[in-house]
């Protein structure tokens, strides 16, 4: 018998001084049985970093043809495709062809670095691709904040991120490996 997803209720307050975006999102996030707390928190952080009224969590791990997060225009076109982890060159090529902007958030320390060393030359031609990594230390600390009901506050200023849940605070420094044109 297949396991069911675990539902997380998240009240995500985003204060993004870099983009002048200040909003609270009430999210219902389904955590796939094979998904770790680390990946769940990276997904929520990726949502916060790109927060917009039309940004949506997708089925993610449950489907191969959708990213983890996307933003569609009012006409249904894909404005943004957000993927986590270390996707294949084929997946990045296809997503860059489908969306106006593609953001990949690799994490996992040395594994992510080895993936990027292998991928960076083949992705140079994609002007709409951005790759931003998170350190293993930062994502490990965020994983410890995960709980079924969360009130997260994410403050973003000068590219630095502060994630807080109650009295616990994690400082995250995203590292931009590739910028979109």
């Amino acid at each position: 018998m297949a396991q069911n997803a675990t539902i997380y209720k998240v009240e995500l307050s985003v204060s993004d001084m870099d983009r002048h975006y200040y909003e609270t999102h009430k999210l219902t996030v389904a955590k796939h049985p094979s998904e770790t707390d680390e990946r769940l928190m990276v997904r929520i952080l990726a949502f916060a970093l790109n927060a917009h009224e039309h940004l949506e969590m997708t089925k993610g791990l449950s489907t191969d043809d959708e990213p983890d997060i996307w933003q569609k225009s009012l006409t249904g076109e894909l404005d943004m495709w957000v993927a986590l982890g270390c996707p294949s060159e084929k997946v990045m090529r296809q997503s860059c062809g489908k969306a106006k902007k593609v953001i990949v958030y690799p994490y996992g320390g040395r594994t992510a670095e080895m993936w990027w060393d292998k991928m960076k030359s083949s992705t140079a031609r994609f002007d709409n691709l951005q790759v931003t990594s998170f350190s293993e230390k930062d994502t490990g600390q965020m994983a410890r904040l995960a709980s079924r009901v969360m009130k997260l506050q994410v403050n973003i200023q000068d590219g630095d991120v502060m994630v807080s849940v109650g009295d616990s605070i994690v400082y995250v420094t995203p590292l931009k490996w590739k910028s979109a044109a």
Side-chain angles (χ1 to χ4, degrees), residues 132-159:
T132 302
S133 75
F134 302 118
S135 78
E136 194 168 22
K137 177 181 161 275
D138 292 348
T139 59
Q141 289 177 346
M142 282 193 325
R144 289 192 279 285
L145 300 178
S147 66
R148 299 276 304 275
V149 177
M150 290 184 275
K151 283 189 175 188
L152 264 85
Q153 173 67 46
V154 177
N155 298 325
I156 304 163
Q157 185 173 12
D158 299 327

Side-chain angles (χ1 to χ4, degrees), residues 43 91 109 164:
R43 193 159 41 120
V91 168
S164 61

Side-chain angles (χ1 to χ4, degrees), residues 111-125:
T111 303
E113 292 167 8
M114 289 173 20
W115 166 83
W116 183 239
D117 285 343
K118 192 172 104 178
M119 291 297 199
K120 64 181 155 192
S121 62
S122 63
T123 61
R125 67 181 188 256

Side-chain angles (χ1 to χ4, degrees), residues 41-106:
M41 294 303 287
V42 168
R43 193 159 41 120
I44 294 168
L45 177 59
F47 187 97
L49 291 171
N50 299 286
H52 184 276
E53 65 180 313
H54 298 297
L55 195 65
E56 300 175 41
M57 296 270 187
T58 65
K59 294 177 185 167
L61 289 175
S62 299
T63 182
D64 291 335
D65 60 345
E66 288 183 2
D68 295 284
I69 302 167
W70 64 19
Q71 181 179 319
K72 291 185 175 183
S73 70
L74 295 175
T75 59
E77 294 175 330
L78 270 171
D79 287 336
M80 189 181 317
W81 179 288
V82 180
L84 308 179
C86 302
S88 68
E89 181 185 350
K90 178 183 176 186
V91 168
M92 287 195 294
R93 182 179 61 248
Q94 288 173 340
S95 55
C96 285
K98 291 178 183 177
K100 291 179 186 172
K101 183 174 184 178
V102 175
I103 304 173
V104 176
Y105 291 105

Side-chain angles (χ1 to χ4, degrees), residues 10-51:
V10 181
E11 183 177 305
L12 175 65
S13 296
V14 179
S15 296
D16 188 338
M17 279 67 86
D18 296 347
R19 294 187 304 136
H20 304 289
Y21 182 88
Y22 310 94
E23 197 64 54
T24 297
H25 298 267
K26 296 208 184 271
L27 305 173
T28 300
V29 183
K31 180 182 170 194
H32 191 274
S34 68
E35 188 171 24
T36 63
D37 285 345
E38 179 183 31
R39 188 179 193 288
L40 173 78
M41 294 303 287
V42 168
R43 193 159 41 120
I44 294 168
L45 177 59
F47 187 97
L49 291 171
N50 299 286

